[in-house]
Amino acid sequence: MTQRGEPNRLVREKSPYLLQHAHNPVDWHPWGEEALSLAQREDKPILLSIGYSACHWCHVMERESFEDAEIATLMNASFINVKVDREERPDLDGIYMKAVQLLTGGGGWPLTAFLTPSGRAFYGGTYFPPVPRHGMPSFRQVLLTVADAYATRREEVERGAGQLLEAIRADGRPQPTQPGDIPAAVRASTAEPPDFRTLAHAFHFLRGRFDATHGGFGPAPKFPQPTTLEVLLRYHYRTGEEKALNMVLHTLRAMGRGGLRDHLSGGFHRYSVDSKWLVPHFEKMLYDNGLLARIYLHGYQLTGDAELKDVVTSTLDYLLEDLTDAQGGFYSARDADSEGEEGLFYLWTPSEVKGVLGAEAGALFQRVYDVTDRGNFEGRNILNLPRSLTEAAAAEGMNAEELEGFLRSARASLKEVRSQREPPFRDEKVLVGWNSFVLRALAEAGAVLGRKDYLLAATRNAEFMLTSLKHEGRLLRVWKDGPGTIPGFLEDYAGFGNALLTLHETTLDTRWLDEARWLIDLMMALFWDEGVGLVYDTPRDGEELVVRPRDVMDNATPAGNSLAVELLLRGGHAFGEDGFREAAERILAAERETMNRFPSAFGRLLSSLDSYLEPPVEVALIGPAGSPETTELLARVHEVYSPNRVILGGEPSALPPLPLFQGREMVEGKPTAFVCRNFTCTPPITDPEELGREVRGE
């Protein structure tokens, strides 16, 4: 039995989350054959605990229960205890989160699930306190009750586990892989893909849930939901509906001014616990910042609003400064806690501000950033902007440029002092899917804003993943002090494929087209089921679990299903492959009903539906890569928000044999662009201004 302070089996793992538990007195196992076989041999239920390194309540439950010798003794006596990092194993998290949601009506982390030795869940919950509290039983009570039920009411436990497994399987239908076994309801659902009415319904649904005062959707807690905001931008672009645009802009500005954003270093925290975006849950996640940077960039493209541009650059600059590995990968997260307190690293008192800036300058900074003696969070202050800088400047009798210059210097001084505090823990594992969101944002921002450093960082990241996370012709999921052993999931292949297509569109380097095509072909071989016309989250030859997971709804990140449809549509146009488009159409048809029922959970898939319904604007750009003339033409293409655009280009002597390049060549030795809409193409364009007018539709 593991004693307090002695290392358990997790000490051999690479996951920062698992290593955080490596010295618990709990006899933890990582998920794997050893733990599952032991449960079978000893006929003990499995206590599965799933979390992640930046999870505040995971830390709380560890301190209260997993470090308690008496509770650990109960766990070790009656269960095989298994720890899982949800970020490494989204497949396991998806299966057992669904089980707990079906059992309790809710979910979250830490996830606590009790399984039979065969891996079937029969009871579970999330955080359990050490003593009964707010109607929740204590963790000790849960352990004793579950152990007793397994020992004395085994038939009831097994029956409940079987029923729950069937419910999980039904939720992820269809399971059959032979065409003759496909349920009639599924065959019927594939008859016709959704149409524009689904997009219109989504807009009206979101408008009904919109918080017109503070932005965002629904009551607190509020999550940023960048994929939902993208749907509204696309709807505005397609229809001219100003309400859709205003909903997005109001939300982006409110989030960017609120405490959700770190006003000193840049970057966003995970979510807001209130309705005003003031008090965040202070963890910083890589995926949030990659996805948010991109939606802010699109808002800037549509409006030219400098405030939105500032959020883009401060967010991406933060990622490059704080979450970038020396080899080019991007780390996963910063914790919410430091020195044992949530958010302490980010909070200020008036005396601290004046101690850095001086009395007069400090007082001005306090007025602008809402720093008061009373505080807005447990007696301290979360920096936020109650007013826009233009409004703040007017109130102070200053012009906006003068105030911004002062604030830029003041923020730098406070950031320098803050850097001397104990920082929150940084999870330094690199995940392919999450890195892909940042790669794509950096590539787009580099092209739109003329930031060569962003393009360089995107290129380094792509090269790193293709070098360090490619093994025996496949992707791996995670890198931490070297490549891991977990195979890539659908979200890794589809996310990375989309990012590489974008990297080609912003650099015109054709090697990224080759790698994207490799990923699409491999994605179809590993995850596509021709019999049912759907993709699964795990490869067909992956670990055999109680169910092959297929999570179709977006959560904090876009679902692998949605990313796959997007990649198939983009790849179909880029490579002239009708089969890719047909596969995307089958998936869209299968999800028609759920998209209509739960539009807020299908943001990325709705965006892909928008792409499916409208032929893209195709731009072929032939010219020497990196030449000033080619770069200027490419900049004109990217300055315009055009969500359903396909850009292909490259050196005239090395163009791949793709349909859009057929018959294309430079005119008079100059880099040349061709713009095609609805199968009709413009004459060759060599003038940047003319190209700008053409892509704007003028």
Side-chain angles (χ1 to χ4, degrees), residues 51-67:
Y52 57 101
S53 69
C55 167
H56 172 70
W57 287 103
C58 298
H59 300 326
V60 172
M61 192 165 178
E62 179 188 17
R63 290 194 300 268
E64 293 176 342
S65 296
F66 302 148
E67 292 181 350

Side-chain angles (χ1 to χ4, degrees), residues 630-674:
T630 303
T631 300
E632 180 66 15
L633 286 175
L634 190 58
R636 288 292 185 268
V637 176
H638 282 289
E639 67 185 3
V640 177
Y641 177 73
S642 181
N644 294 331
R645 180 175 54 207
V646 173
I647 304 169
L648 296 176
E651 298 275 358
S653 61
L655 295 176
L658 299 178
L660 194 57
F661 290 142
Q662 298 304 307
R664 313 293 186 203
E665 56 186 27
M666 294 197 301
V667 174
E668 299 178 354
K670 299 178 182 179
T672 304
F674 303 82

Side-chain angles (χ1 to χ4, degrees), residues 508-581:
L508 303 186
D509 189 334
T510 54
R511 63 175 163 159
W512 307 127
L513 280 179
D514 295 337
E515 297 290 0
R517 178 59 191 258
W518 166 72
L519 283 167
I520 299 174
D521 289 340
L522 197 52
M523 180 183 77
M524 294 297 286
L526 295 174
F527 302 96
W528 171 254
D529 189 322
E530 178 64 28
V532 294
L534 297 171
V535 285
Y536 289 88
D537 294 334
T538 55
R540 64 175 68 254
D541 57 356
E543 178 183 354
E544 186 173 348
L545 304 173
V546 292
V547 62
R548 189 180 181 192
R550 181 174 177 272
D551 192 350
V552 300
M553 295 187 182
D554 295 342
N555 291 296
T557 58
N561 183 74
S562 301
L563 293 168
V565 172
E566 180 182 23
L567 180 59
L568 288 168
L569 291 172
R570 295 178 73 197
H573 288 298
F575 301 113
E577 291 284 354
D578 290 340
F580 293 164
R581 180 177 171 85

